[in-house]
């Protein structure tokens, strides 16, 4: 979003008076609507990137912060620039927030060998290939509590004596990952506060305790599915419900990615939207007051997001849905582009490293694409009907803005993504709602055998994944765009309906900028 809020050309008339004694004046012409939040979010992102570039040099930090502080003050006192003083301020805030996140992480990093520490087991115990692994929290080392969680690995062929919720004493190594924001794996771990890894020589049970409420629900639900359905069915169901893909075998997951439906396995906007719509529909049938209904939906979405771990994509979907529901409840105008920007600001101020996390990038890029191009595509494909036109339009719009990210991280583009979404999305909506209903049922009532029905309901879905994955042309290799990604996104935004220029001007502008970026890319 590296564009100006608007470009104005306001010339004062000559002092010479005509016969009518009036002077001519050129009115302000806006290139884009005034949306301060959009440009604040863009500049906040720029500040985070600049902060990353200057993170290792204290002099560079001081110069960077001083420069944008001076610009903020200068803009605030110049009449013509006062209304955009928040732009350099946002850059400064972005850099400062990144420095804070970096320095706090470094200060709390650990690198201990052959040491003893205490913790609470915070996950189920996985035993595979003579190795036991589990997650821990409430970690105490030398009497000091460490932040975040850690994944512990223990070489053991026997079943452990401890379980989720128990307090344990661990002897072994405990190390924090090296801070590397540009590594998407690190960014994901940083977002989940799970950047520590330990290799234990011994784990000793200290106190038996029950797991906390949310972990208890998770384990009860997993146990119900895995004990009453096939493993592949259980893994898909668990992933669809709250985004845990760890149980899906690699072959099946590769087929899912090639089908272009991997987004279904990561809880995001579609999950939140379907859940909110289902709850609102039920409350409407029960004649619940509109304001009370909105409050109930928000509360239930919060607990569902908490259950899913508040990943960046879940957080984005929850905040946007909450703002939309509040706007609808109190009759206020809802601007999705500004809401998306506000959501990014709220996340990045507190978690600046999320900017480099793949889930954050895909989530925001796909929503941006839908906002920019959905209306145009929906008009173009209106003859396909009210059911298929929205699916086609949403898929194409999202693919446009997520393409550079897909090229960077996956290097393969799913050829049948559009067809897959047209065929499977209606089925996914039905299955997701049904899964939530059955999940709540088995958590309340002791009849988990009812889940057996999903072995049959998942047959079409698994068959489709297998069929698409077996095709040699299901995925085509794509190369990362590198610096040309900047030109790509600039062109996409300029060509969208939110930039009010003649098409001839847009083409000239995008062609020029793309040529400049190409020259830079070739010269590097």
């Amino acid at each position: 979003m590296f564009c100006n809020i608007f470009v104005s050309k306001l010339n004062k008339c000559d002092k010479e008076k005509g016969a009518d004694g009036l002077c001519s004046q050129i009115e302000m012409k806006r290139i884009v609507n005034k949306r301060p939040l959009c440009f604040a979010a863009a500049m906040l992102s720029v500040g985070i990137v600049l902060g990353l570039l200057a993170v290792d040099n204290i002099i560079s930090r001081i110069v960077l912060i001083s420069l944008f502080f001076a610009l903020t003050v200068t803009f605030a006192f110049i009449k013509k620039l006062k209304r955009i003083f928040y732009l350099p301020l946002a850059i400064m805030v972005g850099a400062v927030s990144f420095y804070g996140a970096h320095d706090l992480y470094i200060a709390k990093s650990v690198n201990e060998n052959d040491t003893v520490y205490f913790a609470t087991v915070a996950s189920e115990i996985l035993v595979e290939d003579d190795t036991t692994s589990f997650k821990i929290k409430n970690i105490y080392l030398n009497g000091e509590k460490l932040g975040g969680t850690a994944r512990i690995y223990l070489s053991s062929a026997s079943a452990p004596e401890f379980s989720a919720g128990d307090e344990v004493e661990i002897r072994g190594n405990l190390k924090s990952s090296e801070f590397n924001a540009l590594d998407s794996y690190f960014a994901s771990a940083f977002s989940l506060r799970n950047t520590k890894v330990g290799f234990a020589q011994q784990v000793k049970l200290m106190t038996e305790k029950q797991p906390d409420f949310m972990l208890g629900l998770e384990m009860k639900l997993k146990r119900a599915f895995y004990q009453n359905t096939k493993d592949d069915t259980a893994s898909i169901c668990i992933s669809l419900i709250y985004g845990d893909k760890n149980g899906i075998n690699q072959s099946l997951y590769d087929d899912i990615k090639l089908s272009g439906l991997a987004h279904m396995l990561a809880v995001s906007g579609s999950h939140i939207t379907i859940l909110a719509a289902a709850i609102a529909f039920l409350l409407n049938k029960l004649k619940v007051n509109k304001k009370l209904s909105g409050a109930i939906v928000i509360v239930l979405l919060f607990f569902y997001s908490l259950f899913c771990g508040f990943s960046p994509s879940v957080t984005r979907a929850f905040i946007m849905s909450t703002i939309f529901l509040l706007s609808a409840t109190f009759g206020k105008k809802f601007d999705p582009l500004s809401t998306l920007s506000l959501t990014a600001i709220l996340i990045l101020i507190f978690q600046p490293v999320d900017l480099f996390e793949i889930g954050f990038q895909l989530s925001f890029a796909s929503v941006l694409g839908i906002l920019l191009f959905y209306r145009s595509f929906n008009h173009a494909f209106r003859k396909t009907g009210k059911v298929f036109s929205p699916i086609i339009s949403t898929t194409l719009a999202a693919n446009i803005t997520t393409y550079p990210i897909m090229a960077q991280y996956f290097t393969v583009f799913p050829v049948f993504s559009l067809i897959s979404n047209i065929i499977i999305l209606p089925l996914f909506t039905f299955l997701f709602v049904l899964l939530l209903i059955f999940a709540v049922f088995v958590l309340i009532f002791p009849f988990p055998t009812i889940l057996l029905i999903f072995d049959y309901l998942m047959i079409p879905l698994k068959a489709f994944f297998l069929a698409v994955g077996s095709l040699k042309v299901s995925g085509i290799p794509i190369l990362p765009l590198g610096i040309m990604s900047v030109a790509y996104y600039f062109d996409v935004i300029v060509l969208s309906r939110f930039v009010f220029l003649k098409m001839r001007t847009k083409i000239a502008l995008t062609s020029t900028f793309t040529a400049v970026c190409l020259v830079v890319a070739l010269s590097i």
Side-chain angles (χ1 to χ4, degrees):
M1 289 188 179
F2 302 100
C3 52
N4 296 324
I5 298 177
F6 53 81
V7 176
S8 62
K9 190 174 181 180
L10 189 60
N11 296 327
K12 293 184 178 179
C13 62
D14 294 334
K15 296 300 180 180
E16 299 177 2
K17 297 182 179 180
D20 55 1
L22 299 176
C23 63
S24 62
Q25 185 179 38
I26 300 177
E27 295 183 353
M28 181 184 300
K29 177 183 178 182
R30 289 188 175 182
I31 292 180
V32 297
N33 281 336
K34 185 177 180 181
R35 285 186 170 91
L37 288 173
C38 297
F39 304 99
M43 293 302 104
L44 183 70
S45 302
V46 171
I48 292 171
V49 173
L50 292 177
L52 171 64
L53 297 177
V55 72
D56 294 324
N57 190 309
I58 188 64
I59 301 300
S60 299
R61 289 190 185 192
I62 294 173
V63 171
L64 180 64
I65 294 174
S66 300
L67 171 62
F68 286 100
F69 177 77
L71 286 175
T72 301
V73 174
T74 302
F75 279 31
F77 284 96
I78 297 178
K79 186 176 181 181
K80 291 184 178 181
L81 298 176
K82 185 179 294 185
R83 56 189 167 187
I84 59 171
F85 85 96
Y86 64 89
L87 297 181
L89 176 62
I91 294 177
M92 184 180 71
V93 170
V96 170
S97 66
F98 184 82
Y99 294 147
H102 171 272
D103 294 349
L104 185 63
Y105 180 83
I106 297 300
K108 292 192 173 184
S109 292
V110 293
N111 186 3
E112 299 288 340
N113 296 316
D114 193 22
T115 188
V116 176
Y117 49 97
F118 302 87
T120 301
V121 180
S123 73
E124 59 189 332
I125 313 298
L126 299 178
V127 180
E128 186 177 8
D129 297 331
D130 296 336
T131 300
T132 299
S133 67
F134 55 96
K135 190 165 70 174
I136 58 173
K137 64 178 182 178
N138 300 329
I139 309 168
Y140 284 87
L141 177 64
N142 300 325
E144 181 182 355
K145 185 175 181 179
L146 306 179
T149 61
R151 172 63 65 174
I152 304 298
Y153 296 89
L154 171 68
S155 296
S156 174
S158 59
E161 298 177 353
F162 54 90
S163 59
D166 291 345
E167 293 179 348
V168 295
E169 176 189 276
I170 304 173
R171 176 179 292 277
N173 302 336
L174 184 64
K175 297 183 179 181
S176 297
S177 301
E178 182 179 352
F179 190 95
N180 184 4
L182 293 178
D183 181 353
S184 186
Y185 290 103
F186 172 83
S188 297
F190 184 94
S191 176
L192 299 173
R193 302 176 70 244
N194 189 33
T195 55
K196 300 180 184 67
V197 177
F199 295 92
Q201 300 165 5
Q202 180 183 16
V203 180
K204 181 180 177 182
L205 173 65
M206 300 297 292
T207 307
E208 290 186 1
K209 287 190 174 182
Q210 294 296 317
D212 60 43
F213 179 72
M214 299 306 291
L215 178 57
L217 288 181
E218 175 187 333
M219 294 182 63
K220 184 177 180 180
L221 194 59
K222 282 186 175 181
R223 192 178 301 115
F225 272 101
Y226 277 100
Q227 290 179 353
N228 295 278
T229 64
K230 297 177 181 178
D231 285 353
D232 55 355
T233 299
S235 63
I236 293 175
C237 289
I238 292 298
S239 183
L240 289 176
I241 292 173
Y242 68 99
D244 183 359
K245 300 182 286 292
N246 291 326
I248 301 178
N249 68 68
Q250 191 59 49
S251 177
L252 176 58
Y253 188 58
D254 289 341
D255 289 342
I256 294 173
K257 287 194 296 184
L258 288 174
S259 70
L261 295 169
H263 62 88
M264 294 194 325
L265 304 182
V267 177
S268 58
S270 57
H271 295 70
I272 298 292
T273 301
I274 293 170
L275 178 58
I279 298 171
F281 175 80
L282 178 61
L283 294 175
N284 183 53
K285 290 298 182 181
L286 295 175
K287 307 296 182 183
V288 177
N289 176 272
K290 184 178 179 181
K291 291 184 178 180
L292 178 59
S293 175
I296 292 173
V297 173
I298 291 173
V299 170
L300 292 177
L301 289 182
F302 172 80
F303 281 107
Y304 177 66
S305 301
L306 181 64
F307 182 66
C308 296
F310 269 113
S311 65
S313 59
V314 173
T315 304
R316 193 273 309 159
F318 170 72
I319 295 176
M320 290 196 69
S321 298
T322 299
I323 296 174
F324 171 78
L325 288 167
L326 290 174
S327 301
T329 300
F330 294 99
K332 301 296 182 179
K333 184 179 179 181
F334 176 74
D335 179 28
L337 200 55
S338 294
T339 302
L340 181 67
S341 304
L342 175 61
T343 303
I345 291 171
L346 293 175
I347 294 175
L348 292 178
I349 284 179
F350 298 102
Q351 284 280 85
V353 180
D354 279 0
L355 180 65
F356 309 101
E357 201 269 329
I358 185 172
F360 178 93
Q361 294 175 8
L362 287 174
S363 179
F364 278 85
S366 60
V367 175
L368 177 64
I370 292 169
L371 296 179
L372 294 180
F373 297 108
Y374 174 83
R375 181 183 295 181
S376 300
F377 284 141
N378 197 37
H379 179 74
F381 293 103
R382 64 186 184 279
K383 292 184 179 180
T384 59
K386 294 183 179 180
V387 174
F388 294 115
S389 181
I391 297 176
I392 296 172
S393 303
T394 300
T395 303
L396 289 177
N399 281 341
I400 287 176
T401 44
T402 57
Y403 176 81
I405 303 171
M406 297 289 291
Q408 178 67 35
Y409 294 110
F410 301 112
T411 66
V412 173
F413 184 79
V415 175
F416 299 104
S417 174
L418 178 58
I419 297 174
S420 297
N421 279 275
I422 293 174
I423 296 174
I424 298 300
L425 198 57
L427 176 61
F428 161 69
T429 302
F430 167 74
L431 287 175
F432 179 64
V433 173
L434 203 61
L435 275 169
L436 291 178
I437 294 172
F438 277 69
V440 172
F441 180 85
V442 299
L443 288 173
I444 299 175
F445 303 103
F447 301 112
T449 52
I450 196 174
L451 298 176
L452 181 64
I453 189 176
F454 287 101
D455 273 334
Y456 302 96
L457 292 175
M458 287 292 171
I459 289 176
L461 198 63
K462 290 187 287 186
F464 184 84
F465 292 151
L466 181 62
V468 175
S470 63
L471 297 174
K472 293 183 178 180
V473 294
S474 57
I476 56 174
I478 49 178
L479 296 176
L481 298 182
I483 194 174
M484 293 306 295
S485 296
V486 177
Y488 183 95
Y489 281 112
F490 177 85
D491 295 350
V492 163
I493 292 171
V494 170
L495 293 172
S496 73
R497 65 186 178 88
F498 287 95
V499 177
F500 311 130
L501 291 172
K502 293 181 179 179
M503 183 54 66
R504 182 171 53 187
T505 306
K506 287 185 177 184
I507 293 175
L509 187 61
T510 54
S511 300
T512 302
F513 190 79
T514 301
V516 170
C517 288
L518 184 59
V519 171
V520 173
L522 293 175
S523 63
I524 294 178

